[in-house]
Amino acid sequence: MIDRLVILGATGDLNARFLLPALAALHAAGHVGDRFELVCADRRDWTGEEFRRWASDQLDRHAAAESGETRKAIADRARYRRTDATDAADIASLVAGDGPVAVYLALPPAIFPGVVAALGAANLPPGSRIVLEKPFGEDLDSAVELNRLLVGVVPEQAVFRVDHFLAMTTVQNVLGSRLANRVLEPLWNSAHISEVEIIWDETLALEGRAGYYDGVGALKDMVQNHLLQVLCLVAMEPPLSLGERDLRDRKIDVLRSVRPLTDDDVVRRTRRARYLAGRAGDRDVPAYAEEEGVDPRRRTETFAEVELELESWRWSGTTFRLRTGKALGHDRKEVAVRFRPVPHLPLGLGEEAEPNVLRFGLEPESMTLALAGIGTDARTLAPLTLTARPAPSELPAYGRLLLDVLLGNAALSIRGDEAEEAWRVLAPVMSAWSGDLAPLGEYPAGSDGPASVRSS
């Protein structure tokens, strides 16, 4: 297990909200021992004491569930260095020491190539690992180039392209439920399933993230990585094991089976929009184009929907709908598996039975199965809903990811060829949208999204 972690971009939102709280959770669970070293680096001209005060404030805010002793232990352990992450000499001084180091790039993806080049010039100790946040590149060409740079520094097995969705217990439950239950796996195919919706709708708007979001948009921020990863777990063939080779090979098979979209497909099977001024919950939300830090000329979408089909024996004839939106009226974060209707009902048993729907709630965690049963009248059908709420995970998603990095378990990280395949899937959409083949719609903040979108 590696006991040295270097975080580049350590004064940013990612470290404040997720990495430091994850380290606190690991400490509380006994996974981070006395030998563990935490080096935090950024461009801000702070002293070590100033950084530790900042880290303590962030832990109090975002890791309040952990004990004060645990939060203090993590804040006190952090050493801070003012660093240019693209400067090889600065990086070399950070990683110098005995034994391997894990270097976490909590940085804007646009500077990843320069940072990786600096890491290569710094001669990382043998056995070191590099951790990158999504998106991995900005398009297919840049992803290929980034992968080329990475494998020139460390072996592919030492590259952790992390997507915290894969570490969410709720997401893993999609795979576990279908593979561990005989009642589900025989029905898990296009003969029984008409449509799968993978939805991440949120009431949150930009929340101060315009500097990042306006250059990315909903398609790249959510669909290209998070939602495609969930699609892989829903649609993959049963792996021989959950080891890194077997699991990631089966995910690659799914991405390769996605039928390429033509320009006509993009017009018919994708939607994009951005929010207008409105009221979401108890907040007044300005129009996206008027948010601070937004350049309206970029025509960045805050809502994206893509319908995909898989060319495989199991899934031919099933529609997969991936959707995400900001500043909507309701949070809806789930996988909804819609089964086909029964082929026949006995005469006298109502006119029609609603198709069964199995819902995996991603946030909050839940599982719901909508069935049809007999109502108060013996000859009528009524909805029957079965609901379960799994026990919460012992570690937060980022805690699981960091533990896997330190232990060297790459099963839940994204392999280089997988990152490239994900870009290939959406390259036709990105090209068509940049040429305005699909109109940029609008929807009021606090609404259900563009009028053509089904909200059930």
Side-chain angles (χ1 to χ4, degrees):
M1 179 173 178
I2 286 180
D3 55 17
R4 284 202 298 152
L5 175 65
V6 171
I7 300 176
L8 302 177
T11 66
D13 188 62
L14 176 62
N15 195 30
R17 295 177 57 204
F18 298 110
L19 300 184
L20 288 174
L23 288 170
L26 290 178
H27 182 275
H31 296 297
V32 172
D34 293 337
R35 296 181 55 203
F36 182 74
E37 298 179 30
L38 175 61
V39 180
C40 295
D42 213 324
R43 299 179 69 97
R44 293 191 183 186
D45 192 13
W46 284 358
T47 65
E49 187 57 36
E50 286 174 322
F51 178 81
R52 283 186 284 274
R53 282 200 301 269
W54 175 86
S56 181
D57 289 343
Q58 303 308 316
L59 286 163
D60 289 345
R61 181 181 306 172
H62 301 295
E66 306 297 344
S67 69
E69 180 182 356
T70 292
R71 299 196 301 271
K72 185 176 186 300
I74 295 300
D76 289 349
R77 187 168 307 216
R79 293 189 291 114
Y80 180 76
R81 294 280 298 275
R82 184 179 183 275
T83 300
D84 178 353
T86 61
D87 184 273
D90 279 4
I91 294 296
S93 67
L94 281 178
V95 301
D98 296 329
V101 60
V103 183
Y104 202 118
L105 277 60
L107 297 163
I111 68 170
F112 281 178
V115 178
V116 173
L119 288 168
N123 295 318
L124 289 173
S128 294
R129 295 160 196 158
I130 299 176
V131 190
L132 303 92
E133 281 279 333
K134 62 87 183 173
F136 314 111
E138 300 175 278
D139 52 25
L140 176 57
D141 289 342
S142 61
V144 171
E145 176 61 15
L146 180 60
N147 285 340
R148 185 190 67 80
L149 291 171
L150 285 164
V151 297
V153 179
V154 294
E156 172 62 32
Q157 292 79 4
V159 179
F160 285 73
R161 300 170 189 83
V162 298
D163 185 332
H164 75 276
F165 266 50
L166 292 176
M168 293 168 62
T169 306
T170 48
V171 171
Q172 294 182 25
N173 201 34
V174 173
L175 186 61
S177 295
R178 55 166 285 208
L179 297 181
N181 294 284
R182 191 179 184 93
V183 71
L184 286 181
E185 183 57 23
L187 306 179
W188 211 258
N189 54 62
S190 61
H192 300 284
I193 296 173
S194 61
E195 179 181 275
V196 177
E197 290 186 299
I198 302 172
I199 307 295
W200 192 269
D201 288 349
E202 52 187 350
T203 56
L204 290 176
L206 276 189
E207 312 301 320
R209 296 177 68 227
Y212 163 76
Y213 193 89
D214 198 42
V216 178
L219 187 72
K220 290 184 181 181
D221 184 51
M222 288 295 302
V223 179
Q224 190 275 337
N225 38 78
H226 295 323
L227 302 193
L228 279 181
Q229 286 298 313
V230 178
L231 167 66
C232 289
L233 297 187
V234 171
M236 68 193 299
E237 292 298 318
L240 294 177
S241 75
L242 296 184
E244 66 174 81
R245 176 70 182 271
D246 292 334
L247 184 63
R248 297 197 291 186
D249 281 354
R250 298 292 76 77
K251 288 163 63 184
I252 279 282
D253 290 343
V254 174
L255 294 173
R256 288 176 175 163
S257 74
V258 175
R259 184 172 67 81
L261 295 172
T262 65
D263 285 348
D264 286 343
D265 290 331
V266 173
V267 173
R268 292 184 298 106
R269 303 177 70 105
T270 74
R271 278 158 287 281
R272 61 177 180 146
R274 62 182 178 184
Y275 59 81
L276 300 170
R279 188 168 181 82
D282 58 354
R283 299 170 294 121
D284 289 323
V285 178
Y288 177 80
E290 297 172 3
E291 291 265 25
E292 184 177 353
V294 166
D295 182 354
R297 293 171 297 182
R298 286 181 171 154
R299 294 170 58 78
T300 300
E301 79 284 349
T302 61
F303 175 97
E305 181 177 284
V306 179
E307 292 179 3
L308 300 174
E309 294 181 350
L310 306 187
E311 295 182 320
S312 68
W313 185 282
R314 181 184 290 264
W315 292 116
S316 180
T318 297
T319 298
F320 291 84
R321 178 177 291 106
L322 282 58
R323 188 180 91 204
T324 185
K326 283 190 169 295
L328 295 170
H330 305 281
D331 287 320
R332 181 187 171 200
K333 302 169 182 179
E334 67 174 11
V335 176
V337 181
R338 300 180 182 276
F339 291 85
R340 299 188 187 279
V342 296
H344 173 72
L345 280 175
L347 293 176
L349 192 60
E351 297 181 358
E352 184 178 355
E354 288 293 321
N356 305 135
V357 181
L358 176 60
R359 299 180 186 273
F360 296 90
L362 303 179
E363 192 179 89
E365 186 172 10
S366 66
M367 184 187 300
T368 302
L369 177 60
L371 301 172
I374 296 297
T376 54
D377 184 333
R379 291 181 175 271
T380 62
L381 294 172
L384 177 63
T385 302
L386 307 180
T387 300
R389 300 202 177 276
S393 173
E394 294 181 357
L395 290 175
Y398 271 95
R400 173 70 186 275
L401 285 179
L402 282 178
L403 183 58
D404 282 350
V405 168
L406 299 176
L407 292 173
N409 179 8
L412 294 183
S413 74
I414 295 168
R415 206 166 59 197
D417 54 350
E418 185 181 349
E420 294 175 16
E421 287 295 335
W423 282 113
R424 272 193 195 93
V425 168
L426 291 183
V429 182
M430 294 163 54
S431 176
W433 283 11
S434 66
D436 281 336
L437 293 186
L440 179 65
E442 295 177 325
Y443 60 96
S447 70
D448 289 333
S452 62
V453 174
R454 178 174 62 193
S455 59
S456 63

